[in-house]
Amino acid sequence: MMKSRNSLTVIQLNDSHAYFDLHQEMFWQGGQAVYRPAGGYARIATIVKQSRDANQGRMLFCDCGDTLHGTYPVQKTQGEALIPILNSLGLDAMTAHWEFAYGPETFKQRAAQLNYPMLAINVYDQATKERFFPPYSVKEIGGLRIGLVGIASNIVDKTMPPSFSAGVQFTLGREELPSIINVLRTQEKVDLVVLISHLGFPQDMKLLLEVQGIDVCLSGHTHHRLYKPVIQGKTLIIQSGCHGSFLGCLDLEIEGGRVAVYRH
């Protein structure tokens, strides 16, 4: 008996740094740097809507963080200026890094204003030892159960001003990840596991060499423009530039709980 296939399109936004509008972006053409207008949340919204319509709603849209910080309007309002825009985009989940710049408690307030979950398996309240954000969420899209796992940047309490991590501690997530994957596979019965990471491309590559069971890694932090997925073991890894000038798009065919076909 043939197994049925389900299709899913995954859209990635990473490191947009609150670039609200069209801006000059550098591109390489024939070995020369050229500049042309790119980005802006209006364009992002248009592309996402077109993709959602074309795929009849079988679309997952995730943000890898460095979103609520960067330009003057968003810093002046401690992230609040961007909340209505983000809530209108139809995002499914997010993780974080510079979002902690306003202090963990203010960031938690902003996360509560979002209409999608902030995820991090590796951020803990120092007093209670409880996780600061949920570690994962599960989405049902087009007959698929998808497990979404977030890993926030692990350097916030190590290289950044102390106010960024007041009362909070960060791990790499390496020790926590296998048990979360096991919960998603055995208890949540997911068909696909997607990691939303802000560790950076080199750390993601090392992590996925050591931990199996992730189908797709949406990588952030290092602003890599990956024009094709990198494969580590059985994991597809993409990262999509920065400043909202790029969106990553993975078209997947899922069969028997694995990626049978992909197009980037």
Side-chain angles (χ1 to χ4, degrees), residues 231-252:
I231 301 174
Q232 181 71 291
K234 296 181 179 179
T235 305
L236 295 171
I237 306 167
I238 66 170
Q239 193 175 136
S240 307
C242 60
H243 300 147
S245 300
F246 303 85
L247 288 172
C249 179
L250 265 179
D251 293 317
L252 306 174

Side-chain angles (χ1 to χ4, degrees), residues 93-156:
M94 178 180 171
T95 196
H97 173 214
W98 271 98
E99 286 74 13
F100 283 95
Y102 312 117
E105 291 307 320
T106 298
F107 175 27
K108 184 169 267 192
Q109 292 171 23
R110 294 294 168 268
Q113 291 174 273
L114 295 170
N115 58 14
Y116 52 91
M118 186 70 60
L119 304 177
I121 67 172
N122 61 324
V123 185
Y124 297 89
D125 184 299
Q126 284 181 338
T128 66
K129 308 304 179 186
E130 298 292 324
R131 282 194 173 95
F132 203 68
F133 292 115
Y136 72 85
S137 65
V138 176
K139 293 285 294 189
E140 296 201 21
I141 301 174
L144 289 170
R145 281 180 63 80
I146 304 157
L148 303 173
V149 184
I151 299 187
S153 173
N154 66 317
I155 66 171
V156 178

